[in-house]
Amino acid sequence: MSFAKASVRDAEVKGRRVLVRVDFNVPLAEGEVADDTRIRAALPTIELLRERGAALILMSHLGRPKGKPDPALSLAPVAKRLGELLGTQVKLAPGVIEGDVDLTCGALGPGDVLMLENLRFEPGETKNDPKLAENLAQLGDLYVNDAFGASHRAHASTAGVADYLPAYAGLLLEREVTELTRVVESPQRPLVVVLGGAKVSDKVGVIDRFLEVADKVLIGGAMCFGFFKAQGIETGNSLVEGVELAGEALERAKQSDCELMLPVDLVLGREFSADTEHKESDGVEVPEGWMGLDVGPKTASAYAQAVSEAGTVLWNGPMGAFELEPFAAGTRAVAEAVAAAPGTTVVGGGDSVAALNQFGLEDKVDWVSTGGGASLELLEGKELPGVEALLDAEEEEETDV
Ligand code: ADP
Ligand code: MG
């Protein structure tokens, strides 16, 4: 499958002002960027545009400032970090709209980079207010969306603005959509999907989709206790959620050719803490006074085996409370199996990616998705408003400017 939207690669940008939506919603610590992964992920698009002689106006949200300015959520540290990465000065406008931003963007020349302040300082952003969208559109000659992680939201900067400007996909967004779409639509088989993490309700849409298209779905994390409870198995003090949804998924799995695998053993702890008393348990019944905090070694090796035999692996969600050393082994085993797998490997989900990084394996995976919610919605088969709003590949803007 080829990407059906117009790409920034094919846009005529020389001497033009390009308004670029990026996802710079990064963690901050003491007024500095604590993790610049998302900033680095947008560099290919930014560098392509600068090399081709565009002037860039970048826009992003950061945190949840609720429609009014909050100095703690200023993009100033992000502009500084981006400037270091690009080796150029990145100017920061004091706001988002006219009055704070000079509509001509001053003397912004080819290769220059200006960043708007946090989009969510404006109440119209999350409401997809057409007035704000039009205001943003006035700043540029064309629009590029590279904020895959925000593209599942119909906001002024991700969807509305495309009503007023020719709209193109950035390189990151294009790659994300291509890689994730390939997993569901044309994977090398067998397709093995490993799903874990906290909640059944977060991932039930993805479970359902993969029961239709995958060869194996392997369940781990706290999520497995929803499945066990639905089967009448004792879960002790484990985190249990989404029992009814899990029960429905079990029913669907019976009708499906896809094999749904659940853990066969566990690591138990007294409480969610690194120094709690802990033990392995053969079987999956959790006695009163204990909670399941990781999958056990038999499960880990069965899952690793399935991963090693896959043509394509998608992994989303840790197998246990990997942040706590006594409960990290299941997630480590899956991460190592994914890293070593001969098939195509794709990892998504904030905590799964954090786990990969913790084990130093992020470079051994074919594609690490930057979009948590957006990647889940795409995998579920939902349309992403920030992608739908872009020009179709065949209706690119006439380029005789
Ligand atoms: P992702 O961000 O990769 O999509 P989630 O946010 O769904 O993953 O879940 C990650 C969280 O789930 C982690 O903080 C981890 O500690 C927690 N978790 C996983 N397994 C368990 C468990 N058995 N009990 C309690 N918490 C768990
Ligand atoms: Mg998470």
Side-chain angles (χ1 to χ4, degrees):
M1 199 217 81
S2 65
F3 185 64
K5 293 294 179 180
S7 166
V8 63
R9 254 186 274 269
D10 303 318
E12 187 60 57
V13 301
K14 192 174 160 63
R16 302 175 87 188
R17 291 176 308 172
V18 183
L19 183 65
V20 189
R21 177 56 157 103
V22 285
D23 178 7
F24 287 172
N25 184 27
V26 296
L28 300 177
E30 290 162 24
E32 299 278 340
V33 172
D35 178 346
D36 65 3
T37 309
R38 285 186 168 167
I39 303 177
R40 283 185 287 107
L43 290 178
T45 295
I46 294 170
E47 277 163 353
L48 176 101
L49 288 167
R50 294 185 70 216
E51 278 161 21
R52 294 190 178 176
L56 276 73
I57 301 142
L58 303 181
M59 52 179 182
S60 178
H61 78 281
L62 177 63
R64 296 172 183 268
K66 307 238 160 72
K68 53 182 191 308
D70 174 354
L73 293 174
S74 167
L75 282 166
V78 175
K80 178 168 162 269
R81 183 74 192 115
L82 176 63
E84 290 163 5
L85 290 168
L86 291 173
T88 188
Q89 199 209 344
V90 173
K91 288 174 255 181
L92 181 70
V96 175
I97 55 169
E98 196 178 350
D100 290 325
V101 185
D102 169 7
L103 279 188
T104 66
C105 294
L108 211 59
D112 288 349
V113 185
L114 172 76
M115 207 151 98
L116 305 185
E117 247 307 356
N118 191 337
L119 287 162
R120 292 198 189 165
F121 287 179
E122 286 297 325
E125 163 63 357
T126 56
K127 296 187 183 117
N128 195 9
D129 174 12
K131 185 84 190 65
L132 176 60
E134 193 176 5
N135 249 293
L136 292 171
Q138 280 176 307
L139 301 172
D141 301 311
L142 58 137
Y143 165 74
V144 171
N145 186 5
D146 211 23
F148 176 71
S151 63
H152 57 316
R153 308 274 184 230
H155 291 169
S157 68
T158 57
V161 65
D163 289 341
Y164 303 94
L165 288 177
Y168 292 82
L171 301 176
L172 172 66
L173 181 139
E174 185 182 16
R175 180 92 194 263
E176 288 271 17
V177 174
T178 304
E179 297 289 348
L180 295 170
T181 305
R182 182 160 45 217
V183 169
V184 263
E185 292 186 357
S186 52
Q188 288 292 329
R189 299 215 172 249
L191 170 59
V192 174
V193 177
V194 189
L195 296 174
K199 292 183 172 178
V200 176
S201 56
D202 281 349
K203 299 193 181 164
V204 73
V206 177
I207 296 173
D208 284 350
R209 183 90 192 273
F210 283 117
L211 285 175
E212 284 168 23
V213 303
D215 299 287
K216 287 182 181 173
V217 171
L218 320 181
I219 303 282
M223 225 164 64
C224 69
F225 299 108
F227 285 85
F228 290 145
K229 190 104 195 176
Q231 294 174 315
I233 296 169
E234 285 304 321
T235 53
N237 299 342
S238 307
L239 206 65
V240 180
E241 184 270 354
V243 178
E244 202 169 315
L245 293 172
E248 289 163 13
L250 284 168
E251 282 308 309
R252 268 189 293 274
K254 284 187 198 152
Q255 319 297 321
S256 143
D257 293 333
C258 173
E259 183 184 352
L260 181 70
M261 290 174 74
L262 291 167
V264 294
D265 57 350
L266 297 169
V267 181
L268 309 180
R270 291 281 185 191
E271 56 187 40
F272 192 96
S273 115
D275 44 25
T276 187
E277 184 190 350
H278 62 274
K279 63 176 185 187
E280 279 173 17
S281 99
D282 208 4
V284 293
E285 264 182 44
V286 183
E288 233 7 82
W290 291 89
M291 59 200 296
L293 287 168
D294 194 12
V295 300
K298 284 184 188 161
T299 307
S301 69
Y303 285 13
Q305 179 70 25
V307 163
S308 73
E309 292 164 1
T312 306
V313 184
L314 174 80
W315 174 36
N316 179 299
M319 295 292 98
F322 73 96
E323 306 93 327
L324 313 174
E325 186 47 38
F327 309 107
T331 304
R332 186 183 283 113
V334 165
E336 285 172 352
V338 171
T344 303
T345 52
V346 178
V347 178
D351 292 289
S352 323
V353 174
L356 258 192
N357 291 340
Q358 183 178 312
F359 307 135
L361 297 171
E362 66 276 23
D363 296 337
K364 303 224 155 56
V365 171
D366 294 311
W367 185 247
V368 177
S369 178
T370 55
S375 65
L376 289 177
E377 290 197 16
L378 190 148
L379 293 168
E380 279 172 42
K382 289 188 185 154
E383 289 191 339
L384 305 182
V387 177
E388 292 309 309
L390 304 173
L391 290 174
D392 289 330
E394 62 273 20
E395 58 175 35
E396 266 159 51
E397 187 195 16
E398 294 299 323
T399 52
D400 53 328
V401 281

